[in-house]
Amino acid sequence: GQGVYRKSERGGYGSMKGGGHDRNGLKAILDIVQNKVLNVNLPLMCLIDYLGYRLVAISILPINPKNTKTLVYGSDNAGYNLHSSHKKAQIIAKTIANDLNLSPHVVRELSTGIEKKVWLAADVEIHKVDQVFLQNKWDSPYFMLDTARVLPPNNQKKPFSHMFRIEYLKNSVTTPISPDVFVGFGNVNKEHHNGVAKRAIKYLENTHIPDICSTLKIRYLKTIKPKLHMEGINLRYLGLIRSLLGKSRNYIKRLLMAEMVLRCLHMMLTELLREEMKGVPVPIDIPYLTCVKNFYKSCFGKNSDRIWKVTIKKTMTKKFGKSALEDGEIFPFYDLRDSFDIKIVEKNFSKYTGILINGDMESLGSYSIQ
């Protein structure tokens, strides 16, 4: 991630978000391909989270066989060469862009300085493979890949990790948005395109989210994510949503705090496991089991005050913004467990972290890591 992500997005969090966006972009295109009957192939993809790291596993595609170049749309070298004139690939790109409410825009090819019109992010690739290499094993000669930036970013400082949700783009955005806003590909006419994106962000934060909050009804922790996603709201706005709810809706505020806490615990444990792996040169389980055990005890053991009064608050404001905590909750003498049900968090710890805890916490051998 060091060569791709900006300083504010580097490290495990930004890279893992990028893998998630690759999958989300692929799912978005798959829905369109199936509904519009687009004649294009997509790779299989699986995300594997293990010991603080994320592996993106993608099926091998028959592109560039025997050193032949198959790229007909997009760029595979950061814009040095940009392809956009292939008619069939244009139809595929336009169909996807129209469905997702994405704006056509112009990108300057670095090798020639020529400005070319594209409909998707400049680094989304479409390949056409000659049938002689496919041996009639594929329904279409067209293949799409590198879908991490299919959706436009909704954060100017973090354009590779913070993206608009599809539901918001389709249902609430009146002016199509370029997927290349806030990045180098979008330098041509960037005042216009960036302005459109900024207005959509402002409407999301100042109008759409407050409108949803005014009628928000949540009874169970498990309904928070699908409810907000259905409205096109990213979960990183949980802090803002909680800050907009009045005291009379304290039950929902406590559920939202529990959701934020669980996501923060997952983030904190991921960072601890990554650091542990740096210092363990051989593939043995004991150091990681010890790391998990100590972290779990620091959260739910007898001497767990520090994590709830200090540590998790830093992670929470970093992940969900300063609005995540109310004025009284910020101070180190305030125990954050007073703002949510600790039993709910402990019950859902395994689900959110991927860690299965079996048996007695004092027995190291009773821990297993998924």
Side-chain angles (χ1 to χ4, degrees):
Q2 295 297 320
V4 177
Y5 296 97
R6 295 182 178 180
K7 186 175 181 180
S8 59
E9 298 175 285
R10 290 177 184 171
Y13 178 72
S15 301
M16 293 178 78
K17 289 287 287 184
H21 289 312
D22 211 347
R23 177 194 58 189
N24 293 341
L26 194 64
K27 288 170 63 179
I29 294 174
L30 178 61
D31 289 340
I32 299 169
V33 168
Q34 292 175 333
N35 294 332
K36 305 289 185 180
V37 197
L38 278 180
N39 200 22
V40 61
N41 299 300
L42 300 171
L44 294 173
M45 179 181 290
C46 178
L47 300 185
I48 304 168
D49 292 341
Y50 184 69
L51 297 181
Y53 287 82
R54 171 166 287 177
L55 173 68
V56 181
I58 305 176
S59 59
I60 297 176
L61 299 178
I63 61 174
N64 299 331
K66 297 183 179 180
N67 297 319
T68 61
K69 294 297 182 180
T70 59
L71 183 64
V72 294
Y73 192 91
S75 176
D76 61 357
N77 54 10
Y80 187 77
N81 299 113
L82 179 64
H83 306 267
S84 64
S85 60
H86 192 280
K87 298 301 182 184
K88 177 63 177 180
Q90 281 185 357
I91 293 174
I92 295 172
K94 287 179 183 178
T95 302
I96 295 170
N98 289 338
D99 192 90
L100 296 178
N101 203 15
L102 304 179
S103 171
H105 55 288
V106 173
V107 175
R108 185 177 294 110
E109 185 178 51
L110 297 180
S111 61
T112 64
I114 296 175
E115 296 181 353
K116 300 183 177 182
K117 186 177 181 180
V118 294
W119 287 263
L120 302 175
D123 51 359
V124 174
E125 300 176 23
I126 301 178
H127 292 253
K128 182 184 180 183
V129 183
D130 195 302
Q131 285 290 357
V132 69
F133 296 111
L134 298 179
Q135 300 177 350
N136 297 319
K137 295 180 180 180
W138 300 82
D139 294 332
S140 167
Y142 294 95
F143 297 82
M144 285 193 71
L145 64 152
D146 280 3
T147 54
R149 293 200 319 109
V150 165
L151 302 177
N154 66 356
N155 187 307
Q156 191 167 359
K157 294 181 179 180
K158 299 180 179 180
F160 298 107
S161 59
H162 288 186
M163 309 295 188
F164 284 106
R165 287 202 58 80
I166 297 174
E167 299 88 349
Y168 180 71
L169 289 173
K170 288 186 174 184
N171 302 324
S172 302
V173 174
T174 56
T175 304
I177 303 174
S178 163
D180 280 324
V181 294
F182 309 144
V183 299
F185 292 125
N187 283 335
V188 179
N189 200 18
K190 68 177 182 180
E191 290 79 10
H192 166 71
H193 290 296
N194 288 1
V196 171
K198 288 177 182 178
R199 287 191 292 273
I201 296 170
K202 184 177 180 180
Y203 181 83
L204 171 65
E205 296 177 349
N206 297 344
T207 302
H208 183 65
I209 291 178
D211 287 348
I212 297 301
C213 287
S214 65
T215 58
L216 185 64
K217 294 181 180 179
I218 297 174
R219 294 186 62 188
Y220 306 103
L221 188 76
K222 64 181 180 181
T223 62
I224 293 176
K225 180 177 178 179
K227 172 65 176 176
L228 295 182
H229 281 180
M230 182 176 66
E231 301 292 350
I233 300 174
N234 310 85
L235 290 179
R236 63 176 172 273
Y237 286 113
L238 282 171
L240 174 60
I241 294 169
R242 184 172 180 266
S243 70
L244 293 172
L245 300 177
K247 293 182 179 180
S248 61
R249 306 172 77 186
N250 192 52
Y251 177 77
I252 298 179
K253 294 178 70 172
R254 290 177 67 83
L255 279 179
L256 295 180
M257 176 58 76
E259 178 77 20
M260 288 192 291
V261 164
L262 283 161
R263 292 181 176 276
C264 287
L265 293 181
H266 175 248
M267 185 176 181
M268 293 163 65
L269 182 57
T270 294
E271 292 174 353
L272 287 173
L273 289 171
R274 287 174 68 91
E275 288 300 315
E276 191 67 36
M277 181 170 279
K278 292 178 182 179
V280 180
V282 290
I284 56 177
D285 291 338
I286 296 298
Y288 306 109
L289 296 173
T290 303
C291 178
V292 172
K293 175 181 178 180
N294 292 338
F295 180 73
Y296 187 86
K297 292 179 70 175
S298 73
C299 296
F300 307 109
K302 295 179 180 179
N303 301 313
S304 57
D305 286 356
R306 178 168 177 77
I307 194 169
W308 300 115
K309 291 183 177 181
V310 179
T311 313
I312 198 169
K313 295 179 184 180
K314 296 178 181 178
T315 303
M316 189 169 292
T317 54
K318 176 183 177 182
K319 185 174 178 63
F320 295 104
K322 295 181 180 180
S323 60
L325 298 174
E326 296 179 345
D327 292 340
E329 295 170 334
I330 297 173
F331 299 107
F333 58 77
Y334 183 85
D335 192 323
L336 203 59
R337 287 172 291 191
D338 292 336
S339 297
F340 64 93
D341 187 342
I342 189 66
K343 292 181 180 179
I344 291 178
V345 169
E346 190 169 7
K347 180 181 178 181
N348 288 276
F349 180 82
S350 293
K351 176 184 176 182
Y352 280 71
T353 61
I355 304 296
L356 283 181
I357 299 175
N358 300 311
D360 183 8
M361 190 173 70
E362 297 302 324
S363 174
L364 182 61
S366 67
Y367 285 80
S368 60
I369 302 179
Q370 279 193 337

